[in-house]
Amino acid sequence: MTEEDDPMFFEVIAPEQQTLPLVFNSPHSGRVYPDRFLQSVRLNAQEIRRSEDLFVDELFSAAPAFGAPLQRAFFPRAFLDVNREPYELDPRMFNGPLPAHINFTSIRVAGGLGTIPKIVAENMEIYDSPVDVEEGMARIEKIYRPYHQSLKRLMHETRRRFGHAVLIDCHSMPDGVGAGAARRKPDFIIGDRYGTSASGALAFAAISILEGMGFSTAYNKPYAGGFITEHYGRPANGCHALQIEVSRRLYADEENLSKKPEFIGLKQALTLFIAELADSLDDIMEATALAAE
């Protein structure tokens, strides 16, 4: 992406007609790196991509064919992370004073993973020099806010049309539990912020479908969901949000950042997952409504 480009930062792939109260979101699979950004970082073209949720937008690309919109980012997570509060920022990263309302005390900022990240995976620092304050604020105003305005509109319209809305926030995860750790993560992790962002019936239905297909799963550990799951999941108001983490070992070579041959089979499996979730959604929502009475 060059300075002369008029970039499209994200898109909504809408079905011809929305027939399901589902909204899919892929906020971290963007892989369009602005030239100016690349010139300001200390990492090479391979290293800067370590934070991508590799090809997750493609894994879930069948959603519109079933009648559910899919919103996906084109900008990379290393450039801007929309799965954070709008102003989770580290003042030490910038060359001037930030607005007074920033959140610089969050655990994510402390870990270098704020709205404008300091590091990519494996604690690799992104920048050689401080980020210009105006540049940082422009990313938030021009990309972060429109992204969330769009997602909010999708959820609002879905709930208005169907009486409830279910957000599936799609991510991927590295294989190991931690750097150098030998213990392997499960194939999928379903997160609902420990039961606060979605009905239990919805979370357990997703787990049941995946396990019925032969995958190993975990619930909320080690990933319970980020800002998007927490912010959009309001079960009492008819809005539910689940985070789904897919292990990259199932479909990607993390060394050269490419698809494995198994990618096709996993995409087919996730297409079946979408179909089965869609088929069972009325029963799930009915069980949810009865539990709330």
Side-chain angles (χ1 to χ4, degrees):
M1 185 187 298
T2 66
E3 295 298 309
E4 289 75 28
D5 288 335
D6 182 15
M8 183 166 66
F9 295 113
F10 64 92
E11 71 171 345
V12 176
I13 305 172
E16 290 186 12
Q17 180 179 357
Q18 186 174 356
T19 57
L20 294 172
L22 288 169
V23 174
F24 286 79
N25 181 48
S26 182
H28 288 164
S29 55
R31 43 194 177 270
V32 179
Y33 289 79
D35 286 346
R36 184 175 175 183
F37 171 65
L38 291 176
Q39 292 164 8
S40 72
V41 305
R42 64 191 300 173
L43 304 177
N44 63 38
Q46 188 88 345
E47 292 168 338
I48 194 65
R49 296 188 61 196
R50 294 294 180 188
S51 288
E52 286 180 24
D53 282 349
L54 292 167
F55 315 119
V56 163
D57 54 338
E58 296 182 47
L59 286 173
F60 290 90
S61 63
F66 288 95
L70 167 66
Q71 178 163 309
R72 61 173 179 168
F74 293 136
F75 58 90
R77 181 186 186 184
F79 182 70
L80 177 73
D81 192 344
V82 290
N83 198 22
R84 301 288 181 263
E85 299 172 20
Y87 294 101
E88 282 189 83
L89 300 171
D90 184 346
R92 297 168 298 180
M93 286 181 60
F94 298 88
N95 66 0
L98 293 168
H101 54 266
I102 69 164
N103 177 1
F104 61 89
T105 63
S106 82
I107 190 170
R108 294 178 289 213
V109 169
L113 297 171
T115 313
I116 296 177
K118 183 178 182 180
I119 64 170
V120 296
E122 301 166 1
N123 291 319
M124 301 167 72
E125 294 218 8
I126 296 173
Y127 299 97
D128 266 327
S129 57
V131 178
D132 183 76
V133 169
E134 287 74 19
E135 161 67 16
M137 295 302 102
R139 293 182 200 178
I140 294 169
E141 293 302 319
K142 293 180 180 180
I143 306 175
Y144 181 102
R145 291 197 181 283
Y147 191 94
H148 279 281
Q149 287 166 359
S150 175
L151 194 56
K152 181 179 179 180
R153 184 165 53 251
L154 286 173
M155 290 293 286
H156 175 79
E157 288 300 313
T158 299
R159 187 182 66 168
R160 182 188 63 79
R161 183 176 302 175
F162 298 96
H164 47 261
V166 176
L167 175 64
I168 308 294
D169 201 39
C170 307
H171 298 263
S172 70
M173 58 186 172
D175 192 19
V177 173
R183 188 157 59 92
R184 172 169 283 188
K185 288 184 183 141
D187 298 328
F188 290 88
I189 298 174
I190 298 297
D192 63 2
R193 300 295 299 178
Y194 302 101
T196 63
S197 71
S199 76
L202 184 63
F204 286 111
I207 290 170
S208 177
I209 292 168
L210 291 167
E211 290 185 347
M213 297 166 66
F215 294 109
S216 61
T217 68
Y219 179 44
N220 282 320
K221 293 182 180 180
Y223 304 120
F227 171 78
I228 289 172
T229 312
E230 180 179 23
H231 183 71
Y232 290 92
R234 296 286 185 270
N237 294 330
C239 291
H240 302 261
L242 286 183
Q243 179 174 284
I244 181 168
E245 294 270 0
V246 188
S247 176
R248 290 197 282 272
R249 86 167 173 277
L250 297 177
Y251 69 93
D253 183 326
E254 293 194 73
E255 289 303 312
N256 60 30
L257 307 176
S258 63
K259 298 172 185 174
K260 290 180 178 178
E262 293 88 344
F263 176 87
I264 295 173
L266 183 63
K267 182 177 177 180
Q268 291 171 341
L270 286 170
T271 298
L272 180 59
F273 167 80
I274 295 169
E276 292 195 15
L277 184 63
D279 285 345
S280 59
L281 205 53
D282 285 345
D283 290 340
I284 294 169
M285 290 295 101
E286 184 177 344
T288 298
L290 289 173
E293 291 179 356

